[in-house]
Amino acid sequence: MSTTTPMSYEDAIAAFEPVIGLETHVELGTRTKMFCGCATVFGAEPNTQVCPVCLGLPGALPVANAAAIEATIRIGLALNCTIASWCRFARKNYFYPDMPKNFQTSQYDEPLCENGYVDVDVNGETVRVEIERVHLEEDTGKSLHVGGSTGRIQGAKESLVDYNRAGIPLVEIVTNPVAGAGSLAPEVARAYVTELREIIRGLNVSDVRMEQGSMRCDVNTSLNRPGQEWGTRTETKNVNSLRSVERAVTSEIQRQAALLDAGETILQETRHFHETTGDTSPGRSKETATDYRYFPEPDLTPMAPDAEWVSQLKAALPELPRVRRQRLQADWGISSHEMASVLNAGAVELIEDTIAAGASSDAARKWWLGELSRRANETGTELSELGIDARQVAQLQSLIDEGKLNDKLARQVIDGVLAGEGDPERVAKERGLEVVSDAGALTKAVDDAIAANPDVAEKIRGGAHNAAGVLIGAVMKTTKGQADAKTVRELILEKLS
């Protein structure tokens, strides 16, 4: 294995042109599996949601899940694909411990959906990512490697297999190679997966929770010298966060550039991405289609979606995320750059729901893109999983608008909400955090601040009203941030005018 030091990203992009491609797997949220009636509940006890069909026992016959087929067609339509008038399943043959049948029921040369596209916005430019195909298959089981430090098979003492996931409907969305993105290739990859996740979430066919594996991305990367043929690609498997998609492309560009610059060759292989270091390591040599010995699935009849039914599904599609964002951007009165920040933070729905709960668009964006995004980044948590919802943020802002909280106290209230102490109003009351605005209660603190700062008081008497900020700060310190700054300022100027 080469120990060549990765090249700097700037030098790599100056010398080579990247080409990327993405294969995204989405577990559908159907009640039962793809070819049997087993449940699909996440987190069940291992091997309790299995039957002869999904375990591949002799004589068991599959029956296709109609809801999964419909969901796949809706995904294809949302991705501007052509829906096949006739297609069929195939057997993809390979041995792997988490594949109980030793073959996967998938689709090969006759996918359900093909020739689509997704437009994404990157740095103010629209990039079209072409979709080669969207096909339907079944998921594998899950291998658990026990006793090692990494969770991988290397170094593990034993390996266990949970077949609960085996047979869950899985949609694979494959892009055409994306060339010409240059230094923006990692950002294009992230933007595409982000948009894809939003589209599928909007269709309500999957929860697309990358941290739980219901959406997983394989990232293909290759490099070539300008004007030369595309290079050999690697496939970084099962990347499970938007940030990691971007980091995986960046890492592979730097690694491959160093190898090519040193005169070495790139192996066509799968690679593993490491969250802790941001780099990749070798997996296995990549098979070609002939290695899988595809042939038509003899136990399932072909699919022939009715054209009128497909038209009805298309007409019933919800507003797509890109159209929705354009509408919301106009409603909120913000720039494309600001909308991009909202999208990158994963806050579109959160802000929309906060506004619907009574907050202004400015206030909703302030909290979700400011304090709450900061906390999410610090803890490595998605905003939607932070522990505070849109209704609570709207209530927090309402307390501020009513003069019961200021921003400093509101941040302390957020601490309580995230700690599970209840809604903002309850937290503020039980922690005694409400703003003190009663003039009588503040008079002594103001008098003490004036007495302690005679030079500042004299400046204010002379007309330098901006100096009141020093006295306001002293009062805020005395009252532990609970004084109403506007009332304090009025009292100070009244006493010193």
Side-chain angles (χ1 to χ4, degrees):
M1 184 176 67
S2 173
T3 57
T4 304
T5 302
M7 185 181 292
S8 76
Y9 187 73
E10 292 73 17
D11 290 345
I13 290 298
F16 299 95
E17 295 178 346
V19 179
I20 59 174
L22 297 115
E23 303 171 18
T24 307
H25 294 84
V26 177
E27 281 187 358
L28 297 178
T30 54
R31 186 176 58 84
T32 57
K33 292 185 179 181
M34 185 63 224
F35 300 114
C36 66
C38 288
T40 58
V41 178
F42 179 81
E45 285 295 314
N47 299 310
T48 58
Q49 297 179 164
V50 295
C51 73
V53 174
C54 55
L55 289 177
L57 300 184
L61 293 175
V63 177
N65 187 327
I69 294 171
E70 177 177 321
T72 306
I73 292 175
R74 294 180 68 221
I75 291 173
L77 291 170
L79 300 179
N80 303 291
C81 290
T82 300
I83 308 303
S85 59
W86 188 94
C87 63
R88 57 185 171 181
F89 287 104
R91 289 189 180 183
K92 181 181 182 181
N93 295 273
Y94 64 97
F95 173 78
Y96 218 61
D98 57 13
M99 176 56 65
K101 298 184 294 187
N102 291 340
F103 66 84
Q104 181 184 32
T105 304
S106 181
Q107 291 188 291
Y108 176 43
D109 55 346
E110 298 159 315
L112 189 52
C113 320
E114 57 186 347
N115 300 327
Y117 65 87
V118 173
D119 288 332
V120 298
D121 297 318
V122 180
N123 280 14
E125 297 183 12
T126 299
V127 178
R128 175 159 292 185
V129 179
E130 295 180 347
I131 305 294
E132 176 191 319
R133 57 191 283 140
V134 177
H135 69 255
L136 182 57
E137 58 190 23
E138 60 181 336
D139 208 347
T140 62
K142 185 176 182 179
S143 297
L144 305 172
H145 306 297
V146 182
S149 59
T150 65
R152 299 190 183 281
I153 194 169
Q154 294 86 356
K157 293 182 179 179
E158 59 182 341
S159 295
L160 308 173
V161 183
D162 178 8
Y163 288 118
N164 280 350
R165 195 175 69 181
I168 288 180
L170 191 69
V171 171
E172 182 171 0
I173 302 161
V174 183
T175 73
N176 285 327
V178 181
S183 63
L184 295 178
E187 294 177 64
V188 170
R190 176 172 180 160
Y192 163 76
V193 179
T194 301
E195 186 74 7
L196 188 61
R197 186 176 69 166
E198 291 301 309
I199 290 172
I200 294 172
R201 178 182 286 149
L203 295 173
N204 198 31
V205 296
S206 171
D207 61 15
V208 286
R209 294 171 67 99
M210 299 186 77
E211 74 281 3
Q212 290 186 357
S214 57
M215 182 175 182
R216 313 188 290 274
C217 190
D218 299 338
V219 182
N220 294 276
T221 311
S222 70
L223 296 181
N224 59 272
R225 298 279 186 184
Q228 295 183 1
E229 292 184 1
W230 291 347
T232 301
R233 66 183 174 89
T234 61
E235 182 180 3
T236 305
K237 298 289 288 185
N238 295 328
V239 183
N240 62 3
S241 76
L242 299 176
R243 178 171 176 262
S244 295
V245 168
E246 183 174 354
R247 294 172 71 204
V249 175
T250 301
S251 174
E252 271 301 281
I253 288 174
Q254 293 180 270
R255 186 189 71 86
Q256 292 184 25
L259 291 174
L260 294 172
D261 191 62
E264 299 186 41
T265 58
I266 305 300
L267 299 178
Q268 182 173 335
E269 62 184 357
T270 64
R271 297 187 67 84
H272 301 297
F273 179 74
H274 302 280
E275 295 283 349
T276 53
T277 61
D279 59 9
T280 65
S281 61
R284 56 183 170 80
S285 60
K286 180 63 178 171
E287 296 92 343
T288 62
T290 54
D291 294 322
Y292 291 122
R293 305 186 315 281
Y294 283 99
F295 65 87
E297 170 55 70
D299 292 333
L300 291 166
T301 59
M303 293 179 285
D306 179 71
E308 183 177 350
W309 176 55
V310 172
S311 295
Q312 292 172 354
L313 292 178
K314 184 174 184 178
L317 288 178
E319 183 182 35
L320 295 178
R322 185 179 178 84
V323 176
R324 177 178 167 218
R325 287 196 302 272
Q326 291 171 344
R327 172 178 60 78
L328 292 176
Q329 181 182 331
D331 290 346
W332 298 347
I334 61 176
S335 67
S336 297
H337 178 74
E338 290 172 315
M339 195 67 199
S341 297
V342 173
L343 177 62
N344 290 337
V348 175
E349 290 184 354
L350 294 169
I351 291 173
E352 187 178 20
D353 291 345
T354 304
I355 294 170
S360 69
S361 62
D362 288 344
R365 285 187 292 111
K366 178 189 77 172
W367 287 112
W368 286 113
L369 300 184
E371 180 68 16
L372 296 175
S373 280
R374 180 185 67 78
R375 291 171 184 252
N377 291 333
E378 287 177 351
T379 57
T381 306
E382 294 284 343
L383 264 182
S384 58
E385 303 296 323
L386 191 58
I388 186 169
D389 60 32
R391 179 188 58 80
Q392 291 170 324
V393 173
Q395 186 183 104
L396 183 77
Q397 184 59 42
S398 177
L399 294 173
I400 294 172
D401 294 339
E402 294 169 8
K404 295 179 179 179
L405 292 178
N406 54 35
D407 281 3
K408 181 179 179 179
L409 294 175
R411 287 190 286 272
Q412 295 179 54
V413 169
I414 290 173
D415 291 336
V417 174
L418 296 182
E421 297 174 17
D423 286 343
E425 189 170 1
R426 177 181 176 182
V427 172
K429 182 177 180 180
E430 293 188 353
R431 288 196 174 196
L433 294 174
E434 291 192 354
V435 164
V436 178
S437 57
D438 178 66
L442 295 174
T443 298
K444 184 178 185 306
V446 170
D447 289 341
D448 289 345
I450 292 173
N453 298 275
D455 294 343
V456 176
E458 195 59 36
K459 288 180 182 180
I460 297 172
R461 290 191 181 97
H465 290 181
N466 288 339
V470 175
L471 300 185
I472 294 171
V475 173
M476 297 300 284
K477 184 176 181 179
T478 299
T479 61
K480 298 180 180 180
Q482 290 183 247
D484 178 60
K486 181 180 178 182
T487 303
V488 171
R489 179 181 174 84
E490 291 173 353
L491 284 172
I492 290 170
L493 295 182
E494 179 181 327
K495 287 177 176 291
L496 298 178
S497 295

